Amino acid sequence: MSLELKQHLKMTQQLVMTPQLQQAIKLLQLSRMELVDLIRTEMTENPMLEGADENDEQAVPDGASPAEQAEIEAKPEHKEAEKAEEVKGEEGANEIDWDQYLDQYQLQGHTAPSNRGLSDEELPGYEATLTKKTDLVDHLVWQLRLSNFTPDEEQVAMLIIGNLDDDGYFKMPAVEGEADEATSRDPLVRVAFESGQGIEVAERVLRKVQTFDPIGVAARDLRECLLIQVVAINADTPEIVAIIERHLKHLESKNYQAIAKDLKVPIEEVVKAVKVISRLEPKPGRAYSGEEAQYITPDVYVHKMGDKYVTVLNDDGLSKLRISGMYRAALKNGEAGKAKEYIQEKLRSAVWLIRSIHQRQRTIYKVTESIVKFQRDFLDKGIAHLKPLILRDVAEDIGMHESTVSRVTTNKYVHTPQGIYELKFFFNSAIQKTGGDEIASEAVKNHIRQIVAAEDPKHPHSDQKIVELLKGQNIEIARRTVAKYREVLGILPSSKRKKYF
């Protein structure tokens, strides 16, 4: 067998991911806030880009798209370049002072309209405009400073406070290869070891910290957390203490009969004790660990005007970009010198960014228009009338690839007469109804939510009962599907939804 080299000609087609195409795909996937950040960054890094003032008069045809505007502005014969030439002639400047211009460009800030008349000295310091939500550690340290702790005790207390989780529980991460099982099981043992103060001092300090607000903080488990709270409110009756210490599992499953049998008390006494326990806070640090609310700004609005729905893009907050007139004039007049290649590179980058942003907005508009066409009943009547819809339906309708539709519907939100929804919300699998019709899976979930909301809390519906109620609405689904949808909706099983009081 011999080896030899041969040349062959072969014609193939392949998609080349140019930098421009990569940029367009990247912009398509960005959320609105990410796009705002990217535009801000590009305006900082690319001197060819500047924000367009809506009051500026430009020789651009009415209705021109950002891409068309970029192409017009990028041409040397654009009128604004001629204006720049006239200004240059009046000032008698034969060359542009690039260093001075770049220095001024870097120093120019983009302030809010209400602040334009104020100098930097008149504005408050930046630190004066900042604030943050008080977290659990800050709240506890503040109380620690006001308490009568010795320096040694304060050291132990800081170790305890520094090892609280988001729920306010005292836990320390396990150390790999830790030989002492007691040390790994009880975080207080490790605190005593690290502080060098001994277990007695650590226990005393822990009890003091556990009296801080919120009550129940620094507990090592749920039992300790609840016991601290019932003692604090003078509700530590024998029945309540016994339930917390021995019957948390039965309490979770609402098996009150088993609790009453073990404690040898009437079930009414158990229910009375459970009422007290139900008012306790199982996660005392929750009020300080929650994330700030995230407010959604829609990318597009759908308004009803008469019998029609009108789609309008939301451009508020998005800087309108244009090419810097000064640099265009410099290129036209041959004044760029050695910087010409750099300016041309930045010019191409700027034009492609403007085109990509326009393409992104145009794609969002077309996808939303198509969704409106498919989901007209939802817009008119609500979620119960949401229709089954897949990416392919919209992709074929607007002549784009499914992957493009998938990218443009992620993290993009639309404001409709029915509320604000992510564009992905409108894509649902189909559930068969009696008679051959189909209903969207999201609509079925809404039916389940309404059924549970209307049930008798003392006699909640089982999954099988929900199946039967849905069947009465011509929706036939299996019990396991109801269970799956119920879990997705965060609805507990009937045994845990039952209320005794």
Side-chain angles (χ1 to χ4, degrees), residues 38 55 93 148 173 191 299 313 425:
L38 182 138
N55 297 324
N148 187 23
V191 165
D299 296 84
L313 287 172
F425 167 81

Side-chain angles (χ1 to χ4, degrees), residues 414-429:
V414 56
H415 184 283
T416 74
Q418 301 296 335
I420 297 178
Y421 296 91
E422 187 179 7
L423 289 177
K424 274 190 176 298
F425 167 81
F426 297 99
F427 296 92
N428 294 271
S429 57

Side-chain angles (χ1 to χ4, degrees), residues 171-384:
K171 295 179 180 179
M172 296 186 76
V175 177
E176 186 177 354
E178 194 166 37
D180 191 343
E181 183 180 351
T183 302
S184 60
R185 184 175 65 251
D186 188 349
L188 193 62
V189 176
R190 193 186 304 171
V191 165
F193 175 77
E194 291 183 4
S195 65
Q197 299 301 322
I199 191 65
E200 295 82 5
V201 175
E203 287 177 347
R204 183 172 67 250
V205 172
L206 178 61
R207 286 194 296 270
K208 286 185 179 181
V209 173
Q210 288 174 343
T211 64
F212 286 1
D213 176 75
I215 296 297
V217 74
R220 286 161 287 188
D221 55 36
L222 179 59
R223 287 179 176 84
E224 187 175 26
C225 178
L226 299 179
L227 286 172
I228 292 170
Q229 293 180 61
V230 295
V231 170
I233 63 175
N234 295 319
D236 51 334
T237 63
E239 292 81 13
I240 291 178
V241 172
I243 291 173
I244 294 174
E245 289 183 338
R246 306 202 306 265
H247 294 289
L248 286 182
K249 288 293 183 183
H250 287 149
L251 188 64
E252 181 184 4
S253 61
K254 298 186 178 180
N255 190 354
Y256 301 156
Q257 293 285 356
I259 297 175
K261 182 178 180 180
D262 180 73
L263 299 182
K264 297 180 175 59
V265 297
I267 193 170
E268 291 78 14
E269 291 295 322
V270 173
V271 171
K272 184 178 178 181
V274 170
K275 285 183 180 180
V276 176
I277 297 173
S278 65
R279 292 195 291 267
L280 304 178
E281 175 55 81
K283 297 179 179 180
R286 152 164 41 197
Y288 296 90
S289 61
E291 295 183 356
E292 296 289 342
Q294 298 296 317
Y295 297 96
I296 295 173
T297 302
D299 296 84
V300 61
Y301 288 89
V302 174
H303 301 289
K304 188 171 186 179
M305 302 183 68
D307 294 332
K308 296 182 179 180
Y309 284 98
V310 179
T311 302
V312 180
L313 287 172
N314 181 14
D315 290 330
D316 291 343
L318 293 179
S319 299
K320 296 181 180 180
L321 301 178
R322 68 178 182 184
I323 307 301
S324 170
M326 180 173 288
Y327 282 101
R328 290 198 310 272
L331 285 174
K332 176 188 175 184
N333 299 324
E335 297 170 351
K338 296 181 180 179
K340 181 177 181 181
E341 183 177 346
Y342 169 81
I343 295 176
Q344 288 179 335
E345 178 186 350
K346 291 298 182 180
L347 174 62
R348 285 191 293 268
S349 176
V351 170
W352 270 107
L353 177 64
I354 295 173
R355 285 177 174 173
S356 298
I357 291 175
H358 171 65
Q359 180 64 28
R360 175 188 184 274
Q361 297 298 87
R362 181 170 173 268
T363 305
I364 292 175
Y365 179 85
K366 291 179 67 175
V367 169
T368 305
E369 283 271 270
S370 180
I371 290 174
V372 168
K373 182 168 62 176
F374 282 109
Q375 300 291 4
R376 172 72 187 238
D377 287 346
F378 163 81
L379 296 173
D380 286 336
K381 305 172 185 176
I383 193 172

Side-chain angles (χ1 to χ4, degrees), residues 87-107:
V87 172
K88 181 208 69 172
E90 293 174 4
E91 296 178 351
N94 296 323
E95 293 184 357
I96 294 177
D97 189 342
W98 294 109
D99 292 336
Q100 181 182 0
Y101 179 80
L102 288 174
D103 288 342
Q104 292 177 350
Y105 184 87
Q106 295 295 334
L107 292 173

Side-chain angles (χ1 to χ4, degrees), residues 42-184:
E42 289 291 332
M43 289 181 67
T44 302
E45 297 178 352
N46 190 342
M48 291 299 297
L49 285 170
E50 63 182 17
D53 190 339
E54 293 181 357
N55 297 324
D56 286 349
E57 294 181 1
Q58 301 180 33
V60 180
D62 292 338
S65 69
E68 294 167 341
Q69 178 178 327
E71 292 173 352
I72 293 172
E73 292 182 335
K75 294 178 180 178
E77 61 271 15
H78 183 55
K79 288 187 177 181
E80 193 169 334
E82 296 175 358
K83 292 180 182 179
E85 184 179 3
E86 293 174 4
V87 172
K88 181 208 69 172
E90 293 174 4
E91 296 178 351
N94 296 323
E95 293 184 357
I96 294 177
D97 189 342
W98 294 109
D99 292 336
Q100 181 182 0
Y101 179 80
L102 288 174
D103 288 342
Q104 292 177 350
Y105 184 87
Q106 295 295 334
L107 292 173
Q108 287 174 350
H110 299 279
T111 58
S114 60
N115 293 337
R116 285 181 179 174
L118 299 178
S119 65
D120 292 340
E121 291 76 12
E122 295 174 295
L123 292 172
Y126 184 69
E127 67 280 358
T129 66
L130 298 178
T131 185
K132 72 170 185 176
K133 183 179 179 180
T134 301
D135 61 20
L136 181 61
V137 171
D138 291 339
H139 184 56
L140 294 173
V141 170
W142 171 71
Q143 296 175 76
L144 174 62
R145 301 300 185 213
L146 299 177
S147 303
N148 187 23
F149 280 79
T150 66
D152 290 341
E153 289 176 336
E154 186 172 317
Q155 179 189 2
V156 176
M158 287 301 297
L159 280 172
I160 293 172
I161 293 172
N163 284 283
L164 301 181
D165 63 13
D166 289 342
D167 294 330
Y169 284 91
F170 176 33
K171 295 179 180 179
M172 296 186 76
V175 177
E176 186 177 354
E178 194 166 37
D180 191 343
E181 183 180 351
T183 302
S184 60

